[in-house]
C-alpha cells in the first residue's frame, strides 16, 4: 500500500471525510449521492460560483432522506394558508428558518434561487436569525415545490406547525453550555491536581506524584483546547480569512501560547506548566460569552418596539365604534378600516367595496378589488370607502414591522458611533497584538517564563469587548426609554440622527394643532338633514384631521348611501349621490369662490355639481404644549412650519409661536417634499413631524421623520418614528436625551480605554497571571454594561421620560 492510500479524501461539496464511499464526478470527489446531486443541480443552472466563495460550503447530504412524500402535508390549503406571510394571484411570500445557513456561499445560493427555478421571484437571507424570506409565483411553483427544491440543494427548512401561533422565545445556545460544562469540569480537576504546585513549599506529595498530576493536567487540557475553545478558533479564522482582525484573534493567540508553552514545560522540562490557567481562561471566557448573550437577548426583547407598536384600530361592537390598541385585537373581532388605513391583520371582508393597495408588500401600486368573503392580508391599505372586516389571525405585528423596516424606506447611511466603535476595535486589536509581541521579544532576552506570561496576559486582558458593547447597549436602553414614553423608533440608528438635528419642521394640521381644541362652523346655506348625511358619509371615508373634525361635529348623524367616494390627498373628497357630483375640500379642488372668507381658520368647501353651498370654518386650536415646545426648540434649532391651508392664520400663529418661525402655506404633499429637500441640500439635518399620510414624502426625505398620531395611526413605512400625540410636549426632551446617549457612549469609550491602559501596563511587566486576566476581562464588559445601563436609565428619569 503506497502513501497515497493513506491520504484523507474530503467531499468537494461539504468538506466531510469520504469514509463509507467515494463518488467521482466531473473530476471531483463526493461523500454521498446527495452531495453529488446538489453539485449537479448547481452546475446545470450555471451556479458553480457557489463553490468559489468558500471551499466546501454545502451542508452534508448523508442524512438526507429520499422519501418523496415527506412534504405532502404542504398540499393542504389550510396548512399553506397558516404558513404564508402573504399571498395573492401574482405572488406569495413565506419565511423559513434554515438552521444550516453558515457562510457567505449559503447566502449567495439562497438569494439566487430564481436562477434554479424561474417560479421563484427572490430570496432574502437574515444571516443572524438563520431565516430566509422567499417570494414565489404560486402558478409556477407550489409551496411544496419550494420546500422540495430547498431540500434537494441541502437547505431543508425547519417547519413546525405547532409554533405558528406562538411567539418564539430566544433559545440558549446549548453548544456553548456544553463547552462551558467541559471547561468547568476540566478546570476544577486541574486546580485539584495543581494543589501540590500551589503549596510547593509544604511538600504535600512526592515528586513522582507531582509528575503524574502534571500529565493528568495535560490529559484534561485536551478537551478544553480541542473542544471548548473551538468557537474562538472559528471566529478568529473567519476574520483573518476576510483579511481583518477581530477581538477573538488575540484571545486565540493567548490560548495557543498557554497550551504549547505548558506542553513544553511539562513534557520537556518536567515542570508544572499552566494547564490549570488555560482551563480557567476558557471557563471564564465562556461564562462571559453566555452572560453577554443572555443580556443581548433580554435587551432585544425589552426594547422590541413591536411590543409597544402604537397602531390603533376601530372595532365595531353592536354598531358602536371604539378605538383600541392593536395588541388588544382578537380573532373574531369585527373592525372598520377607512380610506388609506392599513389592514392590521389577516381578515375576511364582511361589508363594503374593498380596493386593497399592496404596494408596501409587493411593490404593485394598482389596488386589488376584493369581494365579500375574500381573505385580505395584513399590510394592504384600503383605497376607497370604509370596509368591515372579521379578524382571522392575531395581529401580524411582526409582518407589519417587517414592512416598516423594508429596505426601500431606509435612510441613507451616515457615519455613526457604531461604525466608529467597529473601526476603533479593529485598530485597538492591532495595537494589542503589537504590544504583546513586543513584550514577548523584550522579555525573551532575560526570562522566557515571564516573556510568555506577559505575552498571554496582554492578549487576554486587553479586551475590546467592552468597547464594542457600549454602543448597542446604550442605544438599546435609549430605545426602551423612548418606547416607554410613547415615542416608537424604527431602529437604533434613528437615535444618532436625532442627536444631530438642527432644523425642526412641523406640519400644522393635526401636528401643531389638536382636533379636540378645534371649533367647527358651517358658513352658507343651512344644511338639510340629507346634506348632513351625505357629508357624514364622505368624511367617514377619510382620516384627514379636518375630516375628523367635521365628523366629530356631525356627531351621531347617520350616513347616506353614496355610489362612489374618492379621496385625493391634500385636496379633498369627491362622491356621487343620486347621479350628482359632490365635492368637499379646498377651493381649488371644489371650484368654489374664495370671496368673503373669514380669517383665522381653515376652510373646507362644499359644492354640488360645481355649485357652492358654503364652507366649513374650522379654527385649529393649537396643542397646549405647542408654544412651549417651539420656544424651547427655537433656542438651539431652526423652526419651520408647513401647512396646506391658506395664510389666513399666519398673524395669529406668528404671535403665538414667535416671529422667528419660518411659515409656509398652501403646501401640498409634493411642495412639502421639495421644501425638505432644499433644506437638506443646504446642509441642514432635518426632523419632520407630520401626520404620516399626506406628509409621507417629506417624512421620508427628512433625516428623521416622525408621524404624530392622536387617535388612529396612519401607519407609514416612510416614517422613522411614531409618536403618541399625548407626549408632544416631550419633543425637546427626546432630542436632548438623544444627545445625552451619544455622550454616554463616548464616556464608556473612555472607561474602556482607561481600563485597558491600566491593565496592559501591568501585563507587559509580567505582574498579572493569565487566569487573573481571564477573570478581569468579562468583568470589564460587565462594568461597561452596568455603566451604560444605569447612566441611561438615570438620565431618562432626570429628563422625565421614565418614572
Amino acid at each position: 500500500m503506497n502513501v497515497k492510500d493513506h491520504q484523507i479524501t474530503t467531499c468537494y461539496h461539504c468538506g466531510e471525510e469520504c469514509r463509507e464511499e467515494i463518488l467521482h464526478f466531473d473530476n471531483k470527489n463526493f461523500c454521498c449521492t446527495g452531495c453529488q446531486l446538489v453539485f449537479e443541480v448547481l452546475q446545470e443552472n450555471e451556479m458553480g460560483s457557489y463553490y468559489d466563495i468558500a471551499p466546501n460550503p454545502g451542508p452534508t447530504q448523508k442524512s438526507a432522506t429520499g422519501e418523496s412524500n415527506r412534504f405532502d402535508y404542504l398540499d393542504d390549503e389550510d396548512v399553506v394558508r397558516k404558513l404564508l406571510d402573504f399571498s395573492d394571484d401574482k405572488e406569495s411570500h413565506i419565511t423559513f428558518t434554515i438552521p444550516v445557513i453558515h457562510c457567505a456561499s449559503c447566502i449567495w445560493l439562497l438569494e439566487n434561487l430564481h436562477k434554479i427555478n424561474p417560479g421563484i421571484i427572490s430570496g432574502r437571507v437574515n444571516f443572524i436569525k438563520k431565516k430566509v424570506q422567499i417570494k414565489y409565483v404560486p402558478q409556477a411553483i407550489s409551496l411544496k415545490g419550494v420546500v422540495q427544491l430547498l431540500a434537494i440543494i441541502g437547505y431543508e427548512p425547519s417547519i413546525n406547525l405547532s409554533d405558528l401561533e406562538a411567539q418564539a422565545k430566544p433559545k440558549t445556545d446549548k453548544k456553548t453550555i456544553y463547552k462551558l460544562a467541559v471547561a468547568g469540569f476540566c478546570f476544577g480537576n486541574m486546580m485539584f491536581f495543581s494543589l501540590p504546585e500551589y503549596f510547593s513549599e509544604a511538600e504535600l506529595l512526592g515528586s513522582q506524584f507531582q509528575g503524574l498530576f502534571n500529565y493528568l493536567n495535560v490529559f484534561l487540557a485536551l478537551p478544553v483546547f480541542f473542544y471548548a475553545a473551538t468557537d474562538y478558533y472559528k471566529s478568529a479564522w473567519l476574520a483573518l480569512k476576510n483579511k481583518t482582525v477581530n477581538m477573538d484573534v488575540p484571545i486565540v493567540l493567548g490560548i495557543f501560547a498557554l497550551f504549547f508553552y505548558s506542553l513544553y514545560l511539562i513534557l520537556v522540562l518536567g515542570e508544572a506548566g499552566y494547564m490549570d490557567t488555560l482551563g480557567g481562561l476558557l471557563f471564564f471566557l465562556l461564562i462571559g460569552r453566555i452572560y453577554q448573550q443572555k443580556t443581548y437577548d433580554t435587551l432585544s426583547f425589552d426594547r422590541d418596539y413591536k411590543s409597544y407598536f402604537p397602531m390603533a384600530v376601530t372595532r365595531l361592537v353592536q354598531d358602536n365604534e371604539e378605538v383600541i390598541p392593536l395588541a388588544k385585537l382578537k380573532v373574531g373581532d369585527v373592525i372598520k378600516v377607512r380610506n388609506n388605513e392599513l389592514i392590521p391583520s389577516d381578515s375576511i371582508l364582511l361589508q363594503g367595496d374593498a380596493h386593497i393597495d399592496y404596494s408596501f408588500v409587493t411593490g404593485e401600486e394598482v389596488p386589488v378589488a376584493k369581494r365579500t368573503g375574500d381573505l385580505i392580508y395584513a399590510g394592504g391599505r384600503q383605497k376607497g370607502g370604509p370596509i368591515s372586516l372579521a379578524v382571522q389571525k392575531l395581529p401580524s405585528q411582526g409582518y407589519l414591522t417587517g414592512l416598516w423596516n423594508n429596505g426601500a424606506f431606509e435612510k441613507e447611511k451616515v457615519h455613526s458611533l457604531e461604525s466608529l466603535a467597529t473601526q476603533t476595535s479593529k485598530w485597538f486589536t492591532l495595537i494589542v497584538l503589537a504590544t504583546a509581541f513586543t513584550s514577548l521579544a523584550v522579555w525573551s532576552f532575560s526570562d522566557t517564563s515571564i516573556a510568555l506570561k506577559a505575552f498571554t496576559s496582554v492578549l487576554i486582558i486587553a479586551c475590546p469587548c467592552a468597547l464594542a458593547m457600549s454602543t448597542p447597549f446604550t442605544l438599546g436602553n435609549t430605545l426602551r426609554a423612548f418606547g416607554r414614553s410613547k415615542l416608537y423608533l424604527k431602529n437604533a440608528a434613528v437615535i444618532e440622527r436625532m442627536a444631530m438635528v438642527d432644523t425642526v419642521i412641523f406640519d400644522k394640521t393635526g401636528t401643531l394643532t389638536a382636533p379636540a381644541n378645534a371649533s367647527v362652523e358651517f358658513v352658507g346655506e343651512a344644511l338639510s338633514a340629507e346634506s348632513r348625511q351625505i357629508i357624514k358619509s364622505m368624511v367617514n371615508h377619510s382620516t384627514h384631521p379636518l375630516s375628523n373634525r367635521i365628523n366629530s361635529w356631525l356627531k351621531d348623524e347617520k350616513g347616506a348611501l353614496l355610489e362612489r367616494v374618492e379621496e385625493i390627498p391634500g385636496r379633498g373628497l369627491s362622491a356621487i349621490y343620486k347621479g350628482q357630483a359632490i365635492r368637499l375640500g379646498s377651493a381649488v379642488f371644489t371650484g368654489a369662490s374664495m370671496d368673503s372668507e373669514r380669517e383665522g381658520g381653515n376652510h373646507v368647501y362644499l359644492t354640488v355639481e360645481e355649485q357652492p353651498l358654503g364652507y366649513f370654518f374650522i379654527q385649529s386650536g393649537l396643542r397646549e404644549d405647542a408654544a412651549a415646545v417651539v420656544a424651547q426648540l427655537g433656542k438651539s434649532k431652526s423652526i419651520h412650519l408647513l401647512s396646506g391651508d391658506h395664510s389666513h392664520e399666519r398673524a395669529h400663529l406668528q404671535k403665538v409661536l414667535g416671529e422667528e418661525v419660518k411659515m409656509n402655506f398652501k403646501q401640498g404633499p409634493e411642495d412639502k417634499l421639495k421644501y425638505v429637500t432644499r433644506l437638506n441640500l443646504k446642509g441642514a439635518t432635518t426632523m419632520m413631524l407630520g401626520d404620516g399620510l399626506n406628509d409621507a414624502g417629506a417624512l421620508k426625505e427628512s433625516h428623521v421623520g416622525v408621524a404624530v398620531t392622536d387617535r388612529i395611526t396612519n401607519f407609514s413605512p416612510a416614517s422613522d418614528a411614531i409618536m403618541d400625540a399625548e407626549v408632544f410636549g416631550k419633543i425637546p426632551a427626546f432630542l436632548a436625551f438623544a444627545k445625552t446617549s451619544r455622550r454616554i457612549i463616548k464616556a464608556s469609550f473612555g472607561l474602556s480605554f482607561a481600563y485597558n491602559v491600566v491593565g496592559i501596563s501591568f501585563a507587559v511587566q509580567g505582574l498579572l497571571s493569565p487566569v487573573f486576566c481571564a477573570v478581569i476581562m468579562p468583568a470589564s464588559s460587565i462594568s461597561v454594561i452596568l455603566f451604560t445601563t444605569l447612566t441611561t436609565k438615570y438620565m431618562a428619569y432626570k429628563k422625565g421620560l421614565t418614572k
Side-chain angles (χ1 to χ4, degrees), residues 141-339:
I141 183 173
S142 64
L143 177 60
K144 177 181 176 181
V146 173
V147 174
Q148 286 176 329
L149 173 60
L150 290 170
I152 288 172
I153 61 175
Y155 292 90
E156 182 176 329
S158 173
I159 302 175
N160 188 348
L161 295 180
S162 63
D163 293 337
L164 287 177
E165 301 299 333
Q167 180 72 33
K169 296 181 179 179
K171 294 182 179 179
T172 304
D173 186 356
K174 290 185 179 180
K175 290 183 179 179
T176 306
I177 298 292
Y178 296 152
K179 289 172 183 177
L180 174 65
V182 169
F185 172 81
C186 295
F187 172 50
N189 282 281
M190 283 192 283
M191 286 188 66
F192 175 76
F193 290 138
S194 298
L195 281 175
E197 186 64 28
Y198 300 152
F199 303 98
S200 55
E201 294 182 3
E203 296 184 359
L204 296 178
L205 292 172
S207 58
Q208 67 274 20
F209 281 102
Q210 288 184 1
L212 173 62
F213 285 176
N214 288 340
Y215 287 120
L216 288 174
N217 277 342
V218 172
F219 176 75
L220 288 169
L222 294 178
V224 174
F225 183 79
F226 289 104
Y227 174 67
T230 51
D231 286 342
Y232 295 97
Y233 302 156
K234 290 177 183 177
S235 176
W237 170 246
L238 285 174
L240 296 173
K241 190 176 179 182
N242 292 319
K243 299 180 181 179
T244 186
V245 176
N246 65 8
M247 61 187 71
D248 288 331
V249 172
I251 292 174
V252 169
L253 288 175
I255 292 171
F256 273 70
L258 272 175
F259 181 73
F260 289 108
Y261 182 57
S262 296
L263 283 181
Y264 171 73
L265 290 176
I266 294 171
L267 301 180
V268 178
L269 301 183
E271 297 181 6
Y274 298 97
M275 291 304 185
D276 56 331
T277 301
L278 175 64
L281 168 64
L282 265 302
F283 179 67
F284 289 115
L285 281 177
L286 289 169
I287 286 178
R289 170 167 284 193
I290 290 174
Y291 173 82
Q292 178 180 326
Q293 187 57 54
K294 283 283 187 183
T295 310
Y296 268 124
D297 289 342
T298 302
L299 183 62
S300 175
F301 175 80
D302 286 344
R303 71 175 178 84
D304 190 352
Y305 45 80
K306 289 180 288 186
S307 303
Y308 311 115
F309 216 85
M311 189 176 209
V313 65
T314 302
R315 182 169 63 183
L316 298 177
V317 181
Q318 296 179 350
D319 294 330
N320 294 321
E321 297 182 8
E322 60 179 12
V323 179
I324 61 169
L326 185 65
K328 293 186 178 180
L329 194 63
K330 299 176 182 178
V331 173
D333 283 349
V334 177
I335 59 174
K336 184 175 186 177
V337 176
R338 298 179 177 85
N339 181 44

Side-chain angles (χ1 to χ4, degrees), residues 408-419:
F409 302 103
E410 288 182 2
K411 301 290 174 72
E412 182 181 353
K413 293 184 179 179
V414 295
H415 179 72
S416 65
L417 284 173
E418 196 157 5
S419 61

Side-chain angles (χ1 to χ4, degrees), residues 412-460:
E412 182 181 353
K413 293 184 179 179
V414 295
H415 179 72
S416 65
L417 284 173
E418 196 157 5
S419 61
L420 174 62
T422 304
Q423 290 296 319
T424 306
S425 298
K426 176 182 175 182
W427 286 107
F428 179 80
T429 303
L430 292 173
I431 292 171
V432 167
L433 290 174
T435 304
F437 281 107
T438 302
S439 301
L440 177 67
V442 171
W443 279 107
S444 295
F445 292 106
S446 57
D447 191 325
T448 306
S449 177
I450 294 180
L452 266 296
K453 187 177 181 181
F455 176 74
T456 53
S457 296
V458 169
L459 291 175
I460 295 166

